[in-house]
Structure formats: structure tokens, C-alpha cells
Amino acid sequence: MGKEKIVIVGMGYLATYVMPCYERLLGDEIKTNCIGIKGSERGLAERQAQCPFPVIVGHVRETLEERRPDIIVLAVKPEQIAAMTEGTLAPYYQMLREKGEKLPDLYSFAPDPTVDYFYGAIGPDVNAANMIPNMVSEIAGLHVAPVGVSFVAFDPRREWPQENRKRALEFMIPTGTVVEVGADKAIPYLSAQCACHLMFELNYIAQDVQKEFGLEKSLADSASAYRSVFHRIFKDSCTEILPCSGENVSPELLEFMDVLMEAWREGVLRFTESEKIPFEAADRQVCGSMETYQMEAQLEPKEQLVQNTKNHATPGGFLEMCLITFHKRGYEYVTEQMRKWLKGERNENLAAEIADISFEVAKAISDHGKTVSGIKK
């Protein structure tokens, strides 16, 4: 297509994180063909310094009318989407229709509302998509984006022109392996990914339990071991960028880790199956996410992992619900079972019980996630 113009509505952390997507699409024209809009003055100077294009505050409708973008990136908070869509975007699209002008594609970077909302709120003639990027692209200087999964959801009622559809799918390539999911699957699909964030906690548990047995082991030791057993299930070529081994933990702990990782995957996949998400898309998401978070634990100090979690666990959000559910339902259980296993006490129901926990965590996130925008459909 070439020389596309982009207006980004909601120039926050997420919209800035996907900068490589704008850069890949626009190249040298990013300075002139892209503009970001913030909702307030807070952090404006910092954002302007980060972006190779103008960043302004407010004046969304005026900017749209002036720029006439080919793509609108909607990255405001979920609870702000209805007001922005119905108060500003819908009237703008209607004006374009009345003038006989081309309608821009709409990329919404929130899982809720799902893409079918825009079909009714803006019109059935608009190319709208939900886009959720993999949020781990680099760890300690290593480019790991291909390990994780980014996904795009289209409304099946709208038949996109092939060129626009291709552009939408390729837009996300810099952030990870791109998977397409159904319009109604964005929230449970993201919830499955979020449930895998608990790989950090599984490493904290391993470190604490080993310490009880007089073994001072690093998170790098445990994460490397978790990855080594998980590669029995998932060993994509993109994982080879970071070597791993189980040499620095005991054979007994390695055996427990093997059961734990396989069971965690099984439970989350049972949840995605209950949501009728195709197995291939679900499995690639779950395995890639588990691997990515273990890579983070292998390379980053605990202080950084805790800070990463704080950065992403926004109040009322998906990850916060994930952590609440796991600490209520599984943290002590996994700790106790690991402790017993290292004492030689084997629980033959361990795999089934771990799978139940991961299923419940993913479901709790998804149930909560369907309420975050406040939009009832």
C-alpha cells in the first residue's frame, strides 16, 4: 500500500511499546505520517522524547479531520473506549461516509470490548480488529519476540479487502509470532497467556523451598531447569537463543518441575478448549508464554521480575486477577507439594490437581476480563 498515515489515540505505554510496528510499516515517513494523541499533559514531555513523531494532547476529532489517516490505532484504557468510540470516532466515520471518502482501518489495542462492538458502534463497513501484542520483546539484550505470541481478531461479519487484512496481520510481526483468533476469543485467549505469567511465582517457590533444604540456588538455576524439562513438550527453534539445563537442581526437584510444567500447560489448555479456541493457536500461545516468562526468570534478578509484574498488574486488570487467584488457590499448595516431593513423599494426584489450579486461574481472569470495559453487549 505504502505511504499510510496513522493517528494513535491514547499514546500511553502500550502504544509506545509497539513503536517497531509503526516503524516497520512507515519507515522513513514515520515523522510525517504518524501522530500520537495523549489524554492529558501528564508525561507528555517524556512521551515526546520517546517518539520520532509529534505527540499532542487532546483534539482527537480535529486531528483526524486534518490528517485523514488510513489507520486509527485505538489504545485508550478499556473503560474509555465507549466514550471515545461513540463520541468521537463514530461521528468522524459518518462524516467520511457522507463525503464519500475512504474509511480508515481501526486497530483496537484492548481485548474488551471485543471487535464485534465496533461493528455496531461505528458501522458494518469499517475494517476493525482487536490486536494484542506479546509484551516481552527483549530480555537482557536478547531479542526474544518470536518466542511469544501476538494475536489479531477480526469480526467474521466483515469481509476485509485482502490487502488490508494482510497489512493488519503483518503490522504485529515485530512484537511476536502472529496468530489469528476468533472475534469472541480475544479475552479468553489473552487470559490463557496471562495465566502463564505465574512462571515467575513458580521460580520464587523453587528458590524458597530449596533454601529450606539448605540449598542457596538462584532463579537462573530454577528457570533454566524448568525450561529444560519443558523442552520435552515445546522446543521451537526460537528458544535456542538462550541455553538451559537442569544440572543445577536435584534430580528430585527436576522430576517435580517436569510434572508441574506439563500439568500447568494441560490445565490452561483445558480452559481454552472449554472456550472453543482452536488447539494449535492455544497451544502455541501457552507454550510460548510459559517459555518466555521462564526466560525472563533465567536472565533477570528477582527485583526486576517483581517490578515487571508491578508494571503490568494494573489495578482491576487481568494480571492482578491472575495473582489474586493464584495466591488464594495455588501458591501454598505448590509450595507444600514441592516440599513433600523433595522429602520423597509422592502425590499421585499432583498433575491433576495442578491442572485444576491453572484451569481455575485462567477462567477467573477471563470471567473478570469480560467486565473491564463496562460495555454491555
Side-chain angles (χ1 to χ4, degrees):
M1 289 183 171
K3 299 190 177 179
E4 289 95 339
K5 288 180 286 184
I6 300 176
V7 170
I8 304 159
V9 182
M11 197 69 220
Y13 176 80
L14 180 57
T16 307
Y17 175 81
V18 299
M19 188 70 69
C21 300
Y22 318 132
E23 292 171 339
R24 182 176 182 272
L25 181 62
L26 301 179
D28 293 339
E29 294 169 339
I30 191 169
K31 294 179 182 178
T32 56
N33 285 22
C34 190
I35 188 168
I37 305 173
K38 278 179 55 59
S40 73
E41 297 276 350
R42 189 162 59 89
L44 177 62
E46 178 190 3
R47 199 65 75 212
Q48 287 172 331
Q50 291 173 317
C51 297
F53 48 78
V55 179
I56 63 172
V57 174
H59 304 290
V60 176
R61 176 65 184 265
E62 295 89 335
T63 305
L64 291 171
E65 292 194 18
E66 178 191 334
R67 292 271 179 156
R68 291 296 203 269
D70 303 285
I71 298 168
I72 298 173
V73 171
L74 182 59
V76 298
K77 294 174 182 175
E79 64 270 20
Q80 298 170 338
I81 286 179
M84 179 57 68
T85 300
E86 294 161 30
T88 302
L89 298 186
Y92 173 68
Y93 276 91
Q94 185 56 31
M95 180 206 75
L96 294 177
R97 285 188 195 96
E98 291 169 358
K99 292 190 173 189
E101 296 186 29
K102 185 179 70 171
L103 305 182
D105 295 350
L106 178 65
Y107 298 170
S108 175
F109 276 79
D112 183 40
T114 49
V115 68
D116 53 304
Y117 161 74
F118 300 103
Y119 188 95
I122 301 179
D125 54 349
V126 175
N127 301 324
N130 282 118
M131 294 190 176
I132 307 296
N134 161 41
M135 295 301 291
V136 184
S137 59
E138 187 177 287
I139 309 169
L142 278 185
H143 179 67
V144 299
V147 181
V149 168
S150 299
F151 67 92
V152 181
F154 301 101
D155 190 323
R157 296 170 295 178
R158 170 66 182 166
E159 187 172 342
W160 283 52
Q162 197 56 42
E163 203 174 359
N164 296 61
R165 184 184 180 87
K166 181 173 180 285
R167 180 174 67 185
L169 287 167
E170 291 182 351
F171 181 76
M172 297 287 281
I173 285 174
T175 65
T177 295
V178 181
V179 172
E180 182 183 339
V181 298
D184 59 337
K185 308 303 181 193
I187 291 171
Y189 195 67
L190 180 60
S191 300
Q193 183 270 329
C194 192
C196 300
H197 196 286
L198 293 167
M199 296 302 103
F200 290 2
E201 277 64 28
L202 299 188
N203 279 285
Y204 304 158
I205 290 170
Q207 187 177 48
D208 290 345
V209 171
Q210 287 179 99
K211 192 171 184 178
E212 291 176 17
F213 285 79
L215 301 169
E216 292 286 346
K217 296 290 184 176
S218 67
L219 294 182
D221 291 333
S222 60
S224 184
Y226 276 123
R227 288 182 63 224
S228 72
V229 293
F230 193 55
H231 285 181
R232 180 172 58 80
I233 298 168
F234 176 69
K235 192 156 184 3
D236 194 286
S237 60
C238 61
T239 68
E240 294 171 5
I241 191 170
L242 180 63
C244 63
S245 104
E247 292 176 359
N248 289 332
V249 304
S250 69
E252 294 79 16
L253 181 54
L254 201 62
E255 184 183 21
F256 182 88
M257 288 173 161
D258 195 7
V259 175
L260 178 56
M261 291 292 280
E262 182 173 3
W264 195 269
R265 168 180 170 266
E266 287 299 322
V268 180
L269 288 176
R270 177 151 48 94
F271 163 73
T272 58
E273 183 181 14
S274 74
E275 292 281 349
K276 297 182 171 55
I277 296 172
F279 175 80
E280 189 174 336
D283 191 42
R284 183 60 183 81
Q285 166 77 294
V286 172
C287 289
S289 299
M290 291 175 69
E291 176 76 6
T292 296
Y293 290 125
Q294 291 290 4
M295 283 179 156
E296 273 198 89
Q298 186 175 340
L299 288 170
E300 302 276 16
K302 185 172 182 178
E303 298 75 27
Q304 185 62 52
L305 299 182
V306 171
Q307 188 58 50
N308 292 349
T309 299
K310 283 181 180 175
N311 291 344
H312 293 126
T314 52
F318 281 55
L319 183 53
E320 183 187 66
M321 177 56 66
C322 170
L323 293 165
I324 288 170
T325 307
F326 183 60
H327 279 273
K328 197 181 293 181
R329 176 69 177 86
Y331 199 99
E332 285 304 321
Y333 174 82
V334 175
T335 302
E336 182 60 25
Q337 291 300 317
M338 185 181 289
R339 190 181 289 130
K340 287 182 175 179
W341 196 280
L342 295 186
K343 291 177 180 176
E345 301 173 31
R346 301 291 192 266
N347 175 4
E348 62 183 28
N349 297 317
L350 178 66
E353 289 167 358
I354 293 291
D356 284 346
I357 291 169
S358 64
F359 175 92
E360 289 174 30
V361 168
K363 186 176 188 307
I365 301 166
S366 182
D367 289 347
H368 173 69
K370 293 171 183 176
T371 69
V372 296
S373 74
I375 295 172
K376 294 181 179 178
K377 297 187 292 237

